[in-house]
Amino acid sequence: GIQVEQSPPDLILQEGANSTLRCNFSDSVNNLQWFHQNPWGQLINLFYIPSGTKQNGRLSATTVATERYSLLYISSSQTTDSGVYFCAVEGGRETSGSRLTFGEGTQLTVNP
Amino acid sequence: KAGVTQTPRYLIKTRGQQVTLSCSPISGHRSVSWYQQTPGQGLQFLFEYFSETQRNKGNFPGRFSGRQFSNSRSEMNVSTLELGDSALYLCASSFRQGNVVGSQYFGPGTRLLVL
């Protein structure tokens, strides 16, 4: 099946700093989503971005499908941005539409 | 629009028992997928239901099963619980048309502890 690698695994920032999270995937994708998992475990949708660039406030994402990677940018980070960020993809040869494969996540800590 | 809801939020069971978890999707979404999250294995796909039919299945033993009702609500059942079944179980709903599935939206999860 499709493989997903996220980097870095851990990231510690001071409030106000910018950061870039990366997601590499091993095959063509029909779906790519970025999520933020809050301390209570809920996965919050950030972007649905199988290709192209999107922005939502201080967050933006870019997926270069031909080169099989996606980037999540966080600008002017705040303590509330802390948590785990997941990239999840659906695609490859066994595509079925619904089966998301998740990376291992990036644990982001923003210190005041 | 109300989000995805899951009940119960927390469960404690003992080995050998069975458990049923419930998920109500976003109104208008007919595809419901289930995922298991553990510290060791991360987030793994269990199965998807659409129009009351299982459309896709992950690599889990037959002890894990599910169903979907005509109102798109879904339940998953785990029989003969093992300690390793302790996990956060997440449900996601999405729009589906043929093989095209939209963005998946997750519920708050059910934390299951097996003693």
Side-chain angles (χ1 to χ4, degrees):
Chain A
I2 195 166
Q3 306 294 314
V4 182
E5 290 185 0
Q6 289 187 244
S7 59
D10 297 280
L11 187 57
I12 300 175
L13 302 173
Q14 286 299 121
E15 206 168 20
N18 302 329
S19 61
T20 301
L21 282 57
R22 186 177 180 101
C23 171
N24 293 333
F25 42 93
S26 62
D27 208 334
S28 60
V29 297
N30 300 312
N31 178 4
L32 187 148
Q33 292 185 245
W34 283 97
F35 297 94
H36 175 209
Q37 189 165 42
N38 67 21
W40 298 272
Q42 181 153 13
L43 287 170
I44 309 299
N45 279 44
L46 297 177
F47 294 102
Y48 172 85
I49 189 166
S51 64
T53 297
K54 291 186 178 179
Q55 181 158 7
N56 184 3
R58 296 182 296 103
L59 273 59
S60 63
T62 295
T63 297
V64 184
T66 53
E67 297 187 22
R68 298 184 183 167
Y69 72 88
S70 183
L71 302 173
L72 177 67
Y73 306 96
I74 304 174
S75 64
S76 304
S77 57
Q78 301 175 356
T79 56
T80 52
D81 294 333
S82 296
V84 184
Y85 289 79
F86 287 103
C87 169
V89 305
E90 190 281 322
R93 296 179 187 179
E94 300 172 6
T95 182
S96 66
S98 63
R99 181 176 183 157
L100 286 176
T101 299
F102 283 78
E104 295 191 352
T106 293
Q107 173 74 60
L108 175 65
T109 302
V110 181
N111 293 320
Chain B
K1 249 185 193 178
V4 180
T5 59
Q6 292 186 244
T7 57
R9 295 293 310 278
Y10 304 93
L11 266 179
I12 300 176
K13 293 285 188 178
T14 56
R15 279 180 298 174
Q17 287 186 309
Q18 74 165 12
V19 66
T20 299
L21 312 181
S22 180
C23 172
S24 293
I26 291 170
S27 178
H29 285 181
R30 294 167 57 203
S31 170
V32 175
S33 299
W34 289 89
Y35 293 82
Q36 181 197 64
Q37 185 176 25
T38 60
Q41 300 298 317
L43 277 148
Q44 294 186 290
F45 174 81
L46 280 156
F47 32 63
E48 180 211 2
Y49 284 86
F50 176 73
S51 292
E52 303 176 61
T53 302
Q54 188 179 87
R55 287 296 300 263
N56 199 3
K57 188 176 188 306
N59 300 322
F60 280 82
R63 300 185 298 106
F64 292 81
S65 63
R67 60 177 174 168
Q68 188 178 35
F69 301 94
S70 59
N71 62 357
S72 296
R73 188 177 70 86
S74 176
E75 290 181 346
M76 67 163 282
N77 184 76
V78 188
S79 62
T80 319
L81 284 166
E82 301 177 359
L83 295 179
D85 298 332
S86 295
L88 177 65
Y89 290 88
L90 292 161
C91 161
S93 82
S94 59
F95 169 83
R96 177 189 265 278
Q97 186 167 19
N99 278 336
V100 178
V101 177
S103 183
Q104 294 196 29
Y105 294 88
F106 283 79
T110 295
R111 287 194 184 275
L112 172 64
L113 176 61
V114 182
L115 301 175

